Amino acid sequence: MSELSRRKLIRSGLTAAAGATGVALGAAVADRNGLIPPNWRGVYGLGETLTYASHRLLAAGANAREFPRSEISPKPFANGSPPTSDDFLKHQEQGFADWRLSVDGLVERPGSLSLDEIRGYPAESQITQLACEEGWNFIAEWTGTPLSHVLELVGIRPEARFIFYTSIQPGWKGLIEMDDALHPQTLVTYGFNGGDLPIGHGGPLRLRVPRQLGYKSIKYLTGLTAIDSVDPSLLRSSYSWYAGI
Ligand SMILES: Nc1nc2c(c(=O)[nH]1)N[C@H]1C(S)=C(S)[C@@H](COP(=O)(O)O)O[C@H]1N2
Ligand SMILES: [Mo]
């Protein structure tokens, strides 16, 4: 589909929905400002576009709420089971000494970083809430280096529009746009409540995206790829792409 007919299609779809819901202005503004999410096509595309666009317009640059230490949850819930692959178990046995984070795609200096290297970068801590789409949540202190720092180090190219990220755990992957990737609260974390990040919470390395729902905070992080367009295969089919809260 040409860019023009794609935009026409989006616009007519948005206008139809907008007429029904009384947010015509929002839809028009979304289109004009390029606020069309990568999953606009498909069953949820229209609703997604409206949610995404209104969030972006209302909350551009906003921070996720941070909490005092006294509100850290005494018993944070670790969701799901850690990876069971031989590969992961071997890393675990070796105390994750050889764990690496690959960084590639639209960057000047693709490569891979060791945990020690990452721990040596400027560190930030944040006390934020992780909210699962299923309704539960907890507050914890997360420590790591800003993703923006890692991206600067490898020379992120101006064409990059999204960061796609992967886990050693099959099926878990994430995608955020540069606005979230460069946001100061988006951290490559290795610390949790003052200690190492426990395996249950994604240790040794996890991307923490506190401005979005829990499933965007991918555990057992192994790779970052800077891209300029999104192939549908990069999206997790069972979750909505944009999970702003
Ligand atoms: N690799 C991986 N990342 C993941 C998950 C997972 O099962 N595996 N679960 C996601 C979901 S749905 C949520 S709500 C949070 C849960 O984080 P927690 O285990 O620290 O509570 O991690 C997200 N990241
Ligand atoms: Mo979740």
Side-chain angles (χ1 to χ4, degrees):
M1 198 185 310
S2 76
E3 178 61 19
L4 191 67
S5 51
R6 186 183 80 98
R7 295 187 68 79
K8 260 193 199 147
L9 190 86
I10 295 169
R11 191 177 307 121
S12 58
L14 280 172
T15 310
T21 54
V23 286
L25 184 63
V29 170
D31 184 36
R32 217 178 309 125
N33 291 280
L35 292 170
I36 305 294
N39 58 342
W40 59 272
R41 208 193 292 261
V43 192
Y44 300 112
L46 205 52
E48 282 262 322
T49 300
L50 291 172
T51 310
Y52 168 78
S54 57
H55 260 222
R56 276 288 172 263
L57 290 170
L58 294 173
N63 283 356
R65 182 170 168 205
E66 299 206 16
F67 297 81
R69 186 152 274 120
S70 59
E71 292 200 42
I72 289 178
S73 307
K75 287 203 176 101
F77 179 65
N79 193 27
S81 313
T84 51
S85 63
D86 291 348
D87 201 17
F88 185 81
L89 295 177
K90 195 167 153 224
H91 277 297
Q92 191 177 347
E93 260 168 44
Q94 297 168 343
F96 300 109
D98 292 334
W99 191 273
R100 297 190 80 87
L101 176 65
S102 68
V103 191
D104 54 25
L106 298 170
V107 300
E108 302 294 345
R109 296 172 289 281
S112 83
L113 308 167
S114 71
L115 278 185
D116 278 347
E117 279 173 293
I118 295 169
R119 287 196 197 99
Y121 300 154
E124 296 279 344
S125 287
Q126 56 168 253
I127 301 175
T128 51
Q129 184 178 60
L130 184 144
C132 174
E133 77 293 347
E134 291 167 351
W136 51 271
N137 58 69
F138 65 85
I139 294 170
E141 182 177 40
W142 308 83
T143 302
T145 196
L147 176 59
S148 65
H149 180 77
V150 174
L151 296 177
E152 265 164 45
L153 274 180
V154 296
I156 184 86
R157 302 230 304 254
E159 316 87 270
R161 291 188 52 217
F162 304 92
I163 300 296
F164 171 69
Y165 46 107
T166 53
S167 168
I168 202 171
Q169 198 164 38
W172 287 94
K173 55 192 177 185
L175 180 78
I176 48 176
E177 61 197 314
M178 290 312 292
D179 191 49
D180 263 315
L182 299 178
H183 190 275
Q185 288 178 310
T186 301
L187 304 182
V188 175
T189 60
Y190 45 79
F192 185 84
N193 289 343
D196 283 346
L197 182 64
I199 289 175
H201 289 292
L205 207 60
R206 176 180 201 169
L207 191 68
R208 181 73 185 114
V209 187
R211 300 201 305 169
Q212 298 206 36
L213 287 174
Y215 63 81
K216 299 293 261 194
S217 289
I218 290 289
K219 310 198 264 191
Y220 324 109
L221 183 70
T222 48
L224 305 169
T225 303
I227 55 180
D228 62 357
S229 67
V230 177
D231 184 277
S233 69
L234 299 183
L235 303 173
R236 257 189 79 97
S237 53
S238 50
Y239 291 105
S240 131
W241 170 72
Y242 181 68
I245 42 179

